[in-house]
């Protein structure tokens, strides 16, 4: 207890030196939190867009469908099972889809297309598909009207009001053919989707493919995405049929995850460089502070204090200074993080155009995550403790006569 009291008094005997050291630690945690918060906010926003654009947080499908996306691997979800999934605690929305390929023909042009049969209301609630309609109007729950991707419509030379012929193979090899009026043209930022997607309402798609009451997947969005593993576990326990498979969004969007991991690595490298620069700054300050106090250390040891006790006091001093700098850095960064979390940064330039092309506002909120704040604080304090090696080593190697003549 005496050591703690002595350490606290010592750090305020030279306020300039203490404040200079604390300021370097303050700068480290302040900049690190803002940079990581900005990066996490950007990544979370991109993930949110990807999930809302199509997949949902979770997808339920027949076991084996993901490896072989054939309509024969479609499934029937009973009303009871749909109720079980919909009433699971963390489940927010469910969107049933029947997806398969067919040939789309108009005039002399023919091209392969991906048909997506869906519930218009539920689809729009999850993906805001109605906002992607650039011409015509959105799907009806009845009727044979279809939405065609802008790129596919341009290739085929069709517009709203035209009739598109679809030819393919349905469930268990039945012939699938029909004429469908184009009620709307939709635009997707993804060229792959834009050049091949066709939306129908679910009953029309089931009738076309001869797959009555069947779907290929059920997309599920969650109220709290952070509890995705708990929700999957709960769904697995409630769905007793072993013929179904539940997949997370990051298992579905492998390419997106690879890009995010690459960007996360780059972000961590930037923060690592920042930590290294600031770490050297803290170490330089500690060296200066220690060398200024060599004579003081010599006097204290000469009057009878043990070197081990003096080293302990020096370490406690650095812990006090580290905590002062760290807590003040967190206190300064938190209001900025919270403000820009509630009032996202408005982006501009190419980044803004990318977000607009996804049909969302070019806004980027800063992330406020207690866990990453905690680990940044721990890392900074660990760096401070590492710098304690220098003064401790100096104290144990101290020669009283030389120190008194400094």
């Amino acid at each position: 207890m005496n050591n703690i009291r002595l350490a606290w008094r010592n750090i305020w005997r030279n306020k300039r030196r203490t404040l200079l050291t604390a300021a370097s630690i303050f700068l480290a945690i302040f900049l690190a939190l803002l940079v990581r918060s900005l990066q996490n906010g950007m990544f979370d926003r991109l993930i949110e867009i990807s999930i809302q654009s199509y997949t949902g947080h979770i997808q339920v499908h027949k076991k084996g469908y993901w490896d072989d996306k054939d309509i024969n691997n479609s499934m029937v979800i009973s009303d009871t099972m749909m109720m079980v999934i919909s009433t699971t605690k963390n489940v927010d929305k469910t969107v049933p889809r029947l997806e398969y390929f067919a040939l789309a023909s108009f005039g002399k042009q023919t091209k392969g297309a991906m048909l997506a049969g869906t519930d218009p209301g539920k689809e729009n609630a999850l993906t805001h598909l109605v906002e992607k309609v650039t011409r015509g109007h959105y799907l009806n729950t009845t009727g044979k009207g279809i939405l065609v991707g802008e790129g596919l419509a341009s290739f085929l030379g069709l517009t709203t009001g035209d009739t598109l012929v679809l030819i393919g193979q349905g469930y268990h090899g039945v012939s699938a053919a029909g004429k469908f009026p184009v009620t709307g043209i939709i635009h997707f930022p993804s060229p792959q989707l834009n050049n091949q997607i066709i939306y129908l309402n679910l009953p029309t798609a089931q009738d076309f493919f001869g797959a009555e009451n069947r779907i290929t997947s059920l997309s599920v969005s969650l109220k709290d995405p952070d509890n995705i593993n708990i929700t999957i576990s709960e769904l697995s326990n409630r769905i007793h049929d072993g013929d179904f498979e539940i997949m997370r969004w990051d298992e579905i969007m492998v390419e997106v995850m690879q890009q995010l991991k690459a960007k996360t690595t780059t972000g961590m490298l930037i923060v690592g460089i920042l930590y290294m620069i600031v770490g050297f700054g803290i170490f330089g300050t500690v060296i200066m502070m220690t060398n200024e106090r060599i004579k003081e250390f010599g006097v204290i040891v000469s009057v009878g204090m043990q070197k081990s006790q003096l080293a302990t006091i020096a370490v406690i001093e650095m812990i006090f200074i580290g905590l002062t700098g760290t807590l003040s850095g967190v206190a300064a960064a938190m209001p900025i993080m919270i403000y820009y979390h509630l009032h996202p940064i408005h982006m501009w330039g190419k980044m803004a155009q990318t977000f607009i092309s996804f049909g969302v506002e070019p806004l980027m909120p800063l992330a406020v995550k207690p866990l990453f704040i905690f680990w940044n604080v721990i890392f900074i304090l660990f760096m401070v403790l590492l710098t304690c090696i220098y003064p401790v080593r100096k104290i144990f190697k101290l020669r009283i006569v030389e120190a008194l003549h400094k």
Side-chain angles (χ1 to χ4, degrees):
M1 203 64 186
N2 288 332
N3 288 346
I4 295 173
R5 264 198 233 98
L6 281 171
W8 181 252
R9 288 174 185 170
N10 283 343
I11 64 173
W12 297 115
R13 282 194 305 107
N14 191 324
K15 292 179 183 178
R16 184 185 63 83
R17 183 174 61 207
T18 297
L19 292 175
L20 182 63
T21 309
S24 62
I25 297 167
F26 166 89
L27 185 65
I29 190 69
F30 180 77
L31 292 177
L33 286 178
L34 290 185
V35 170
R36 288 297 294 150
S37 180
L38 189 64
Q39 290 171 347
N40 286 334
M42 182 180 69
F43 298 153
D44 289 348
R45 180 75 167 156
L46 289 173
I47 289 169
E48 180 186 355
I49 290 169
S50 300
I51 289 169
Q52 289 182 353
S53 293
Y54 201 73
T55 64
H57 297 99
I58 294 171
Q59 189 178 100
V60 180
H61 48 248
K62 186 178 180 180
K63 191 168 286 185
Y65 171 76
W66 193 249
D67 296 323
D68 182 14
K69 297 181 181 66
D70 192 284
I71 197 167
N72 293 325
N73 285 329
S74 59
M75 61 184 178
V76 175
I77 292 189
S78 65
D79 292 340
T80 303
M81 185 170 292
M82 185 64 81
M83 182 64 71
V84 167
I85 295 172
S86 300
T87 56
T88 299
K89 186 177 180 181
N90 193 31
V91 170
D92 185 25
K93 302 179 186 75
T94 58
V95 181
R97 297 192 185 104
L98 178 65
E99 300 169 316
Y100 201 48
F101 289 92
L103 285 175
S105 179
F106 180 75
K108 295 182 180 180
Q109 297 292 335
T110 302
K111 188 176 183 181
M114 185 179 81
L115 274 58
T118 186
D119 181 300
K122 292 181 178 180
E123 184 70 46
N124 186 57
L126 176 67
T127 65
H128 308 291
L129 185 61
V130 71
E131 297 173 8
K132 296 178 175 65
V133 178
T134 57
R135 279 175 282 166
H137 59 81
Y138 188 57
L139 285 175
N140 293 319
T141 53
T142 58
K144 298 178 67 175
I146 60 174
L147 299 176
V148 182
E150 197 173 59
L152 179 60
S154 177
F155 177 85
L156 296 174
L158 57 78
T159 187
T160 54
D162 290 334
T163 300
L164 186 64
V165 176
L166 297 176
I167 304 169
Q169 187 178 58
Y171 182 63
H172 283 175
V174 302
S175 296
K179 294 181 179 180
F180 300 87
V182 178
T183 60
I185 305 297
I186 51 177
H187 171 76
F188 277 93
S190 166
Q192 185 177 7
L193 279 176
N194 216 35
N195 293 332
Q196 64 176 4
I197 191 73
I198 295 174
Y199 278 96
L200 312 81
N201 64 53
L202 186 57
T204 301
Q206 290 170 335
D207 181 65
F208 175 74
F209 286 118
E212 187 178 358
N213 297 323
R214 305 191 75 84
I215 61 173
T216 50
S217 65
L218 181 71
S219 291
V220 180
S221 69
L222 304 180
K223 297 171 186 174
D224 182 7
D226 292 335
N227 287 330
I228 187 169
N229 289 330
I230 296 172
T231 307
I232 289 175
S233 177
E234 189 175 347
L235 283 172
S236 299
N237 291 332
R238 298 186 73 186
I239 300 173
H240 301 294
D241 192 333
D243 201 30
F244 291 97
E245 184 177 31
I246 303 171
M247 290 183 69
R248 294 165 50 104
W249 67 270
D250 50 356
E251 295 173 319
I252 296 169
M253 297 189 296
V254 178
E255 292 181 2
V256 172
M257 281 306 298
Q258 287 174 342
Q259 292 175 5
L260 286 177
K261 283 179 181 177
K263 290 180 179 179
T264 301
T265 303
T266 304
M268 291 297 290
L269 182 62
I270 293 170
V271 173
I273 293 171
L274 172 65
Y275 276 145
M276 188 167 60
I277 293 170
V278 177
F280 278 116
I282 295 171
F283 185 55
T285 307
V286 170
I287 291 174
M288 177 190 71
M289 183 178 72
T290 303
N291 289 332
E292 282 181 355
R293 299 178 66 190
I294 290 295
K295 187 172 183 177
E296 176 190 331
F297 291 157
V299 171
I300 292 171
V301 172
S302 67
V303 297
M305 181 177 283
Q306 295 294 322
K307 288 182 179 180
S308 58
Q309 185 182 3
L310 180 59
T312 302
I313 292 171
V315 171
I316 294 172
E317 286 177 22
M318 281 306 303
I319 291 172
F320 276 141
I321 294 172
L323 285 172
T324 301
T326 301
L327 295 178
S328 59
V330 172
M334 280 299 292
I336 299 173
M337 292 161 60
I338 292 171
Y339 178 82
Y340 284 109
H341 178 73
L342 299 174
H343 305 88
I345 297 169
H346 198 288
M347 290 174 290
W348 58 90
K350 291 184 178 179
M351 181 65 76
Q353 290 302 317
T354 301
F355 277 75
I356 290 169
S357 68
F358 274 93
V360 295
E361 288 185 279
L363 302 175
M364 183 169 62
L366 268 66
V368 181
K369 297 183 177 180
L371 194 60
F372 98 82
I373 294 172
F374 171 78
W375 283 114
N376 274 276
V377 168
I378 292 298
F379 190 79
I380 291 291
L381 290 177
F382 176 72
M383 287 173 58
V384 170
L385 286 174
L386 277 181
T387 61
C388 291
I389 294 172
Y390 181 79
V392 169
R393 190 167 176 271
K394 272 283 189 181
I395 289 169
F396 278 106
K397 287 193 166 187
L398 188 71
R399 294 183 178 180
I400 296 174
V401 176
E402 292 180 5
L404 291 174
H405 286 84
K406 286 286 184 179

